[in-house]
Amino acid sequence: MLKILVFFLWFFGVAIGLPALVLGLIKRGAQPDFAIDRDAVAVGEGRFKDPQRVFGRDTASAPVDAYSMFPLAIAASAAVYPDGTRVLITRGPDKARSKLVMADFFQSLGAGNTTQSHSGSRFTARSGEVGWIALQDDVGVAVLGPTREAMEARRAALSGFRDNPKRTLGNKIDREYLPYVLGALLIWCLLVAAQFGRMAAWVGGENAPGNVPPVASDMLAGKILALNQQDVPFTVTPGDEPNMLVVDWRYADAKWADLMRAHGMEKSHRLVLRLDPGDHTARSRDYESEMAWSAGAGGADLSWSGNLGITFFKYEYEKAYGLFFENGTLKLAPSYEYRFDLDEMKAPIIALIVGSGWNWRPVVSFWRPFGG
């Protein structure tokens, strides 16, 4: 039980939790890439006090009051420029309502192909214009242009919005080091995948007692094969490679196996053992599959599922009833029944292996870097 607790603490605390914590701290500490001149967006009597300071002096015409379009805002104005670019600036009573204002405007553009960063979101509008939209505190700004170059130039020319001098490492990572961060994250995922298999093998494994000398691999294989002579619910056969054994649950020997197949069911659970005389360790890998099929007036249906790796616990019991004629009488009787107990399959084998001075390791792969 302690091993399982350590495994989950490692998986959620280190494998997943550590990178999530680091990325979260970087994101939380990042500042917007632009800073707003609060004096430039000062509001009086429901409009910006100095529109020229907000939009500049090169507008094609006087900025238009857009407050009627955004009733949640306390001020909203839009301007058009000779180069075909457009700018909308809004200010709300608080950040929450300003966010709703900009969200409504963003949705009205039918925006797509959106990319987000600390400096806002860049997108392509339904009209084909390229845009940038951002929110900082209670002020929202949107810039649209016929090309990305024109849009970026207009954004840089807005006098009330300048580069933020308080930008942090998070901003630098987002702009300059993001490919390196993604590469480091990929390497971390590969290391975690490798360590996951080794940790799982450690959790489910059992070591031989220190006072029991290990027997030879061929002698151990003979002991395991001899289990066929006992009343066990599985069969053991030699594998395709040296020092390999295959253990199959006796679904095929079950009393109801033919009836299961008649009802369109087929199950298998296989344990493949590989005996490594180098470190006196028996490594095992689970293979399991289930297939069901049926046919009727609506057509045929076929389903299959399977998995491989490590199965720690599994117990199944199923019993189905049907109506049968017997001696001219209709009666309710079991149509099929089966049971599967993984512990009953593995426990005798593990006990024999450990008792022979060998270690037992369940693995997700026989490749040692990932399987352990």
Side-chain angles (χ1 to χ4, degrees):
M1 187 64 185
L2 180 60
K3 283 186 175 182
I4 295 176
L5 179 61
V6 172
F7 174 78
F8 279 105
L9 287 176
W10 168 82
F11 184 70
F12 291 105
V14 178
I16 295 178
L18 184 60
L21 176 63
V22 172
L23 293 175
L25 290 175
I26 291 174
K27 184 177 180 180
R28 185 177 180 85
Q31 297 289 325
D33 280 348
F34 65 94
I36 297 176
D37 181 353
R38 306 299 295 186
D39 293 334
V41 292
V43 175
E45 298 180 357
R47 61 187 63 196
F48 294 111
K49 290 182 178 180
D50 189 352
Q52 286 189 344
R53 189 174 177 182
V54 177
F55 294 98
R57 299 178 181 276
D58 58 339
T59 57
S61 57
V64 176
D65 184 4
Y67 172 76
S68 60
M69 297 174 59
F70 306 101
L72 290 178
I74 59 175
S77 294
V80 179
Y81 297 83
D83 60 358
T85 56
R86 299 184 291 150
V87 174
L88 168 71
I89 298 177
T90 68
R91 187 166 183 179
D94 51 50
K95 184 174 181 177
R97 276 177 279 193
S98 291
K99 186 175 182 179
L100 291 175
V101 169
M102 299 310 292
D104 287 343
F105 177 68
F106 184 76
Q107 188 174 10
S108 70
L109 295 172
N113 194 24
T114 304
T115 58
Q116 296 181 338
S117 69
H118 299 299
S119 63
S121 298
R122 288 167 173 80
F123 60 90
T124 302
R126 187 190 301 114
S127 62
E129 293 175 294
V130 179
W132 169 75
I133 190 168
L135 176 70
Q136 189 176 128
D137 298 327
D138 58 349
V139 177
V141 57
V143 180
L144 293 162
T147 64
R148 180 172 293 277
E149 291 75 15
M151 181 273 292
E152 294 290 357
R154 178 56 54 200
R155 172 177 169 265
L158 291 174
S159 58
F161 302 84
R162 297 299 185 190
D163 286 343
N164 189 354
K166 297 181 180 180
R167 286 181 296 178
T168 65
L169 177 63
N171 303 82
K172 198 172 185 66
I173 288 175
D174 182 56
R175 282 179 174 266
E176 302 176 28
Y177 300 140
L178 185 59
Y180 302 102
V181 172
L182 295 178
L185 187 60
L186 177 60
I187 294 173
W188 177 261
C189 290
L190 292 175
L191 292 174
V192 167
Q195 191 62 26
F196 179 88
R198 303 178 73 88
M199 287 288 291
W202 172 74
V203 171
E206 290 191 29
N207 293 327
N211 58 351
V212 178
V215 303
S217 59
D218 55 349
M219 183 178 294
L220 177 59
K223 288 184 176 182
I224 298 174
L225 287 167
L227 290 173
N228 287 322
Q229 301 171 13
Q230 301 181 23
D231 186 18
V232 291
F234 55 82
T235 58
V236 186
T237 55
D240 297 330
E241 301 176 16
N243 293 324
M244 179 177 286
L245 298 171
V246 177
V247 185
D248 288 295
W249 182 263
R250 288 181 173 171
Y251 282 110
D253 295 342
K255 177 182 177 182
W256 304 97
D258 291 336
L259 287 173
M260 285 175 62
R261 284 191 288 269
H263 282 77
M265 294 178 59
E266 189 168 301
K267 291 174 174 282
S268 68
H269 193 102
R270 170 170 290 184
L271 193 66
V272 176
L273 301 176
R274 180 170 290 179
L275 307 181
D276 187 349
D279 58 0
H280 297 106
T281 299
R283 292 177 172 84
S284 72
R285 190 180 188 186
D286 290 87
Y287 297 80
E288 114 180 79
S289 66
E290 178 177 346
M291 184 166 63
W293 63 91
S294 62
D301 181 60
L302 175 67
S303 64
W304 181 88
S305 63
N307 61 71
L308 53 86
I310 301 176
T311 305
F312 290 110
F313 310 101
K314 187 172 183 181
Y315 179 85
E316 291 181 349
Y317 177 78
E318 186 169 339
K319 191 173 187 178
Y321 287 85
L323 293 174
F324 298 90
F325 277 101
E326 185 174 318
N327 298 324
T329 304
L330 188 65
K331 61 180 296 186
L332 183 67
S335 59
Y336 70 84
E337 177 183 33
Y338 74 89
R339 179 183 64 86
F340 173 76
D341 187 348
L342 183 61
D343 186 63
E344 192 173 344
M345 181 180 186
K346 288 186 176 181
I349 298 174
I350 295 175
L352 193 154
I353 289 172
V354 173
S356 299
W358 284 57
N359 303 315
W360 162 271
R361 291 289 183 274
V363 297
V364 296
S365 170
F366 287 124
W367 190 44
R368 293 294 299 279
F370 280 86

